[in-house]
Amino acid sequence: MEFQLPDFDLRVMMPEIFLFLWALVVITFDLSTKRRSGAAVAYLAMFGLVITGILLAVAGTGAGFGAMFFNDAASIFFKVIFLGAAFMAIGSSFGLLRQKIQHHRGEFFGLILLSTVGMMFLASSNELLSLYIGLELTTIPLFVCAAFFKDNRLSVEAGIKYLIIGAFSSALLLYGLSLLYGLSGTTDLLQMRINIATTHLNFREIGMLPMISVIMLVAGLGFKLALPPFHQWAPDVYEGSPTPIAAFLSVGSKAAGLIAFAKIMINGLQVFYDQVMAPSDWGILVAVIASAAMIWGNVAAIRQANIKRMLAYSSIAQAGYIMIGMVALNELGMAAVSFYMFTYLFANMGAFAVVAIFEDTTGSTQISSYNGLAKTSPFHAASMSVFLLSLAGIPPLAGFFAKYYVFASAIKMAGAADDKSWLYWLVGVGLLTSVFALYYYANIIKTMYFTTDESPYRLSVASPGSAMVLIGLIGVLLFGLYPTPILEFAAGIPEALGVVVP
Amino acid sequence: MLSSLIFIPLAGMILVMLLPKNAKSAIRWTAVGASIPPLVLSFWLTYEFFVNHASSAAMAFVEGPYEWIPLLNVQYYLGADGISVPLLALTGLLSTISLVASFGIENRVKEYFAFFLLLEAGMMGVFVALDFFLFYIFWEVMLVPMYFLIGIWGGPRKEYAAIKFFLYTLFGSIFMLVAILILYFTSEPHTLNMMELIQSGSALPHTLQLVCFVFFFIAFAIKVPVWPFHTWLPDAHVEAPTAVSVILAGVLLKMGTYGMLRISWPMFPEAVRYFSFWIALLGVIAIIYGALVSMAQKDLKKLVAYSSVSHMGYCMLALGAVTSVQAITGCMFQMISHGLITGALFLLVGVLYDRAHTREIAVFGGLGSKLPVYAGIMVFFSMASLGLPGMSGFVSEFMIFVGSFGALNKVLVGIAVLGVVLGAAYMLRMVQNVFLGEFNLSKWGGLTEINLREVITVAPLMVFTLWIGLYPKPLNELMAATMEHLVTLMAR
């Protein structure tokens, strides 16, 4: 038997390799300046992300390492989101450098970069093992980052909680993956798709096993995406973590979970998305979870007094909206999910950037302390309002367009296939809960604007954090009014993920 | 041309935002200046339409359709016909008047005028958009400045009123969004073009027509507001600053009925005929209920607010009479007439409130002797509101009654006519309590007469109220062809 070396095409992996090395450079730089590097280390990390973005454009699409590493429309799109999230998270961290992170700066930014590398591998992997490794590389650095304020009880709690939940969910996921391997005899997603498709009717006779596998996978990924009932960690972790890390968790980590979900459930298990496959049909299962996310996330957010907890619940609800596109498995669905995630990047990172600046200036994360902010810091208050209205889905902001696209994909699917009419209900839940959502988003706007008091705080406009706010603002406005280029790129994603339109 | 109606106020908004915060009078005049071109343009468009386009029901001044988001067939497509042109003129007029009436705002002037101009852009956009997506965007865009205008510059319960308005309208809008998406995916090829959907709408299956109709109806009915969706209105009106109340009553309420005439009525003729009795019934309930509640009000502004519920009820009654050109034309007349009269009444209530700092009817009395000019103008508009012949309210109500009497259940219309009597009752009671009787010199001796700026704001409204009341023919001719066409569409 002739042994064939796989085709090591390093070109497609160039961005990942570069970013990995750059993370080490960032850490070494901090060490070599005897840990007095100051803001330079953050700029260095951001510079690395920009270079990675350029390399990503240069590397283009293609496959490497046999079939294990793919760069297609889906992975490139999500990699851009990861890089953007990391860039904006680091950009919002400058305030921390002055006060809370006096030591281990290199590690802080290095770990963010390493986590980004993990996400990028995840988005490119087409095989269960490397996918799992990518997922672990994504989360493990974030455990450390969440607990970065060693002296702060909440931060340590956040780190430990995230670690335990993360380990638990990884175990569930791994168990699901091993069952999947047992059922299909392969770890390669494309091969798995073929193997399952050829024998998929037999799966009903196997009985419980496919169902258990699907449940484990949905639960494991549900933890990563903070979907109910696996969401309880999110508010505590967001509250305790450094704000830029909470932002990165809510966007980068969520996008990573989404692409992992799409790879396993769509690329591998699309055949299960069918009533014939009941009870292993994951469509209805995910739809129920998504409804729970929208209802519970939006209702619980109303009662929050802490803005980070409120944004945590809001991001739980947003994940619910995103999952509508995921279960509307047609030529629009995944494109809508990707576009949603892209607009969410700007709106949510922007909102967190304002929260970070506010926290650095005032030390508070209470919503009540935003009272009268519009008078002293009009730029930040107005930007925050725009981000919140975008999250609420008010046109002509980008968030509205994303919601529209997601709902459109679901309604199209519901009308096209008779056994998918439950999608109408999902859309109904989504729309009704978006009215609740407006209430708590508007509540913050009310606090900032409607009072006659003047806030005692004045946020600085000339800071890197404010530049991140500006980036978010431009993104939300620009892609709301002219989404076409992004939409056209995203339109290729369902095909890249192998979505078969019924 | 129509685009500039939208984009000149937007440019004005940006200009206002660039001015320094303390340059209050510069901000005010810039805002008014930015509203003049749309005002002039909208009147010129009305004239141009009257001269050149009134004979046909086709869309005039069309722009587009230009591709905007080709992937989802979203187009930038504007046009105006006999339904929208008069409403554009109304919007232009009331916007400028409201901006002038807002000169008394001293607090956060820059934000106020910026939001106001954004509001104007949104309102103009709703009346000219012919693409569903565009329509929806303008429909929602208006909510945001309105939320801020009520919430920042409103009365004691402003926060409650602002969020209630926002949530109510958004709740309605989501139904509209679903209906739009359903229409989009059932049309072949998929389109969001309203004109095409109107053509193909009557071919939709019966149940689908009913569902879409009901969804649109919820959205529009909340805006009108039709009883029982009206509860946001008194709160919003009472708390809103004067000029915002004017816009709210004069333009925003008309968007509900405009949406019905532009979208749901011609698009789902079968459903309209199916529901026509119930629509008219809702209208009659609103007429009677609004009038009765008005009678019980102690607050002057609340009285005018509930009278709006009653007056918009006439529109709904007319909309129930789908086969009658006269009734539908009456509905348009009522929309315009109500915009003029109620707008003026809110302005006048604001004038009194600015001086007396109260709006409670019972505390006044005999103001007619102290403020003769003010009293005269107020009585003029009260008479217009109760439908005195010679003023616009009479013409519209008369047309509605004549038209719907032939087309609808006669008992129903008979009950609706009672609304006129009730209207006279609450208006006259108000006039009596505020302007007649004994004058309390020690308490109100310091009240000053209405000033020139305030007279200038209401004077054009008086002129148009009288013009339409005495010589409605031009307005009728302006819309005649469009109305005929509308009724034929609904008879499909």
Side-chain angles (χ1 to χ4, degrees), chain A residues 85-263:
Chain A
F87 185 85
M88 289 179 77
I90 295 175
S92 317
S93 306
F94 284 86
L96 291 179
L97 289 176
R98 254 175 283 122
Q99 301 154 22
K100 289 186 178 163
I101 306 185
Q102 301 282 9
H103 309 290
H104 308 292
R105 286 172 174 154
E107 285 89 329
F108 187 74
F109 297 111
L111 286 170
I112 294 180
L113 295 190
L114 282 178
S115 177
T116 313
V117 173
M119 293 172 185
M120 292 173 74
F121 267 112
L122 173 65
S124 273
S125 68
N126 242 15
E127 190 262 352
L128 294 181
L129 275 181
S130 55
L131 193 137
Y132 180 76
I133 293 169
L135 204 59
E136 290 302 283
L137 182 55
T138 303
T139 42
I140 291 172
L142 292 175
F143 300 151
V144 184
C145 287
F148 215 79
F149 302 152
K150 281 180 295 186
D151 312 330
N152 182 318
R153 199 181 59 78
L154 282 176
S155 179
V156 175
E157 184 191 327
I160 296 290
K161 212 166 226 169
Y162 192 38
L163 170 70
I164 293 171
I165 297 286
F168 182 63
S169 67
S170 294
L172 283 180
L173 186 66
L174 206 54
Y175 188 44
L177 292 178
S178 67
L179 285 178
L180 212 53
Y181 173 70
L183 289 168
S184 62
T186 175
T187 61
D188 184 280
L189 284 167
L190 287 179
Q191 191 60 45
M192 179 187 296
R193 186 193 186 94
I194 297 163
N195 289 3
I196 291 179
T198 47
T199 59
H200 83 277
L201 289 176
N202 299 337
F203 276 89
R204 279 187 302 175
E205 282 141 37
I206 300 173
M208 302 290 281
L209 222 48
M211 189 183 76
I212 294 174
S213 166
V214 165
I215 290 175
M216 292 292 166
L217 292 170
V218 169
L221 293 164
F223 271 115
K224 307 278 182 214
L225 288 166
L227 288 168
F230 318 109
H231 66 283
Q232 284 100 337
W233 60 272
D236 293 342
V237 172
Y238 283 27
E239 187 187 7
S241 309
T243 304
I245 295 301
F248 191 54
L249 275 174
S250 77
V251 177
S253 178
K254 192 167 301 252
L258 273 178
I259 190 73
F261 192 100
K263 294 235 168 214

Side-chain angles (χ1 to χ4, degrees), chain B residues 10-309:
Chain B
L10 270 187
M13 179 189 85
I14 293 166
L15 207 61
V16 163
M17 289 202 296
L18 294 176
L19 289 170
K21 200 165 28 175
N22 295 324
K24 287 186 182 173
S25 70
I27 291 170
R28 287 173 185 141
W29 285 109
T30 312
V32 173
S35 78
I36 298 277
L39 169 69
V40 173
L41 196 61
S42 64
F43 272 83
W44 182 80
L45 285 174
T46 314
Y47 175 75
E48 175 72 17
F49 188 88
F50 181 70
V51 174
N52 292 329
H53 303 280
S55 55
S56 110
M59 282 289 161
F61 319 115
V62 174
E63 287 178 32
Y66 305 113
E67 284 200 338
W68 176 19
I69 306 168
L71 206 69
L72 291 172
N73 300 324
V74 176
Q75 295 168 329
Y76 184 82
Y77 184 23
L78 307 179
D81 65 358
I83 307 174
S84 36
V85 163
L87 291 171
L88 286 174
L90 183 72
T91 308
L93 180 67
L94 287 178
S95 295
T96 307
I97 286 176
S98 307
L99 283 167
V100 174
S102 303
F103 276 24
I105 298 274
E106 288 292 339
N107 175 28
R108 299 163 84 173
V109 178
K110 184 168 147 179
E111 286 160 280
Y112 180 91
F113 285 96
F115 280 128
F116 218 107
L117 289 170
L118 179 62
L119 181 65
E120 185 181 1
M123 295 188 296
M124 291 289 190
V126 166
F127 290 133
V128 293
L130 294 182
D131 178 277
F132 259 134
F133 196 86
L134 202 60
F135 178 82
Y136 188 82
I137 285 185
F138 286 125
W139 182 271
E140 295 282 281
V141 158
M142 279 175 338
L143 301 184
V144 179
M146 206 61 185
Y147 173 68
F148 281 100
L149 286 168
I150 299 174
I152 299 181
W153 293 275
R157 288 167 72 238
K158 58 186 185 176
E159 292 166 7
Y160 171 77
I163 192 70
K164 191 171 181 181
F165 165 78
F166 205 167
L167 290 179
Y168 253 74
T169 323
L170 188 76
F171 177 79
S173 309
I174 61 174
F175 286 94
M176 172 153 67
L177 190 64
V178 175
I180 290 175
L181 283 169
I182 293 175
L183 284 175
Y184 175 73
F185 286 115
T186 43
S187 60
E188 245 357 292
H190 297 338
T191 180
L192 288 164
N193 183 325
M194 282 187 204
M195 296 297 107
E196 286 174 25
L197 286 169
I198 285 173
Q199 289 310 319
S200 63
S202 60
L204 289 175
H206 183 68
T207 32
L208 198 64
Q209 271 202 41
L210 295 191
V211 168
C212 288
F213 177 82
V214 169
F215 280 8
F216 274 113
F217 188 78
I218 293 172
F220 297 143
I222 287 176
K223 205 83 166 191
V224 171
V226 177
W227 180 90
F229 303 113
H230 66 282
T231 62
W232 63 268
L233 178 105
D235 286 309
H237 267 313
V238 170
E239 302 306 325
T242 300
V244 177
S245 287
V246 173
I247 292 292
L248 203 53
V251 185
L252 258 68
L253 304 193
K254 309 301 171 296
M255 284 180 183
T257 37
Y258 170 79
M260 292 176 186
L261 284 172
R262 164 71 68 234
I263 297 167
S264 4
W265 263 241
M267 210 173 278
F268 315 110
E270 228 175 285
V272 177
R273 291 195 297 272
Y274 184 86
F275 286 118
S276 72
F277 174 78
W278 301 104
I279 294 161
L281 182 67
L282 284 178
V284 173
I285 293 175
I287 294 171
I288 303 295
Y289 172 87
L292 288 175
V293 178
S294 286
M295 275 175 141
Q297 292 311 314
K298 297 189 176 75
D299 182 310
L300 207 48
K301 208 170 178 187
K302 238 180 179 159
L303 182 144
V304 182
Y306 275 107
S307 84
S308 287
V309 175

